Amino acid sequence: MSAASRRKGHAFERHIAQELLDRLGISFRRDLDQYRAAEHGDLIPDDPAFPFVIECKRYATGATCLGAWKVQAVAAARAADKRPAVIFRFDRQDTRVAVPLSAFYDAWPADQWAEVTLDGFALLARELMAEAAQWTPEQRRAAE
């Protein structure tokens, strides 16, 4: 990977951290351990209740989230006991977020994914955080 590609990726991560702060009021920082160890997301929220591990991808060309990106996000999410999300953008296109259908409803398939806008992703994250806050630890264990 060239230095220019790394700079582009780092700038995108910082941009997404700011966009999520604007939409959610949650601060995110880049996870520098992602370069030293496997199964780390790109951004770390300051709120431990945030339900996703985020992978950020910024490329010149493409049309949809790649399977390899999803695999990477799933591995990092499993390690953190959270849901995977891939935030990606191609040149001259809007930012999109890929999440498994199970993020919307636990009974839906985790191997099928949907793509939503960044606003849609923020809405989903807020709803999941609000739902989790309403459950007691006993209710969570009973549902698992």
Side-chain angles (χ1 to χ4, degrees):
M1 178 184 293
S2 71
S5 293
R6 282 193 302 278
R7 280 193 303 274
K8 184 177 182 179
H10 297 170
F12 184 61
E13 289 171 4
R14 287 188 295 274
H15 170 74
I16 292 302
Q18 183 60 52
E19 291 290 324
L20 292 173
L21 174 62
D22 293 346
R23 286 168 171 79
L24 297 170
I26 297 172
S27 294
F28 289 80
R29 63 181 168 80
R30 292 182 53 236
D31 186 354
L32 301 180
D33 286 336
Q34 66 182 300
Y35 300 106
R36 293 187 279 263
E39 299 178 351
H40 282 264
D42 291 331
L43 298 175
I44 299 172
D46 68 358
D47 186 340
F50 186 74
F52 291 97
V53 168
I54 296 173
E55 283 293 328
C56 294
K57 302 295 181 183
R58 178 72 172 86
Y59 280 78
T61 60
T64 190
C65 184
L66 299 181
W69 301 347
K70 295 174 189 176
V71 168
Q72 186 180 5
V74 166
R78 281 190 182 134
D81 195 29
K82 297 204 178 240
R83 292 174 166 89
V86 180
I87 301 177
F88 63 98
R89 187 171 142 214
F90 300 108
D91 289 353
R92 293 171 294 286
Q93 295 184 28
D94 293 333
T95 299
R96 305 287 294 165
V97 184
V99 293
L101 291 180
S102 60
F104 295 96
Y105 182 67
D106 287 330
W108 289 356
D111 64 339
Q112 300 294 314
W113 289 58
E115 291 182 11
V116 297
T117 64
L118 199 53
D119 286 332
F121 175 69
L123 173 65
L124 177 61
R126 279 193 304 270
E127 290 297 318
L128 289 170
M129 290 173 72
E131 179 182 297
Q134 294 174 9
W135 283 42
T136 66
E138 293 79 23
Q139 288 171 316
R140 272 193 212 100
R141 281 193 292 278
E144 294 175 346

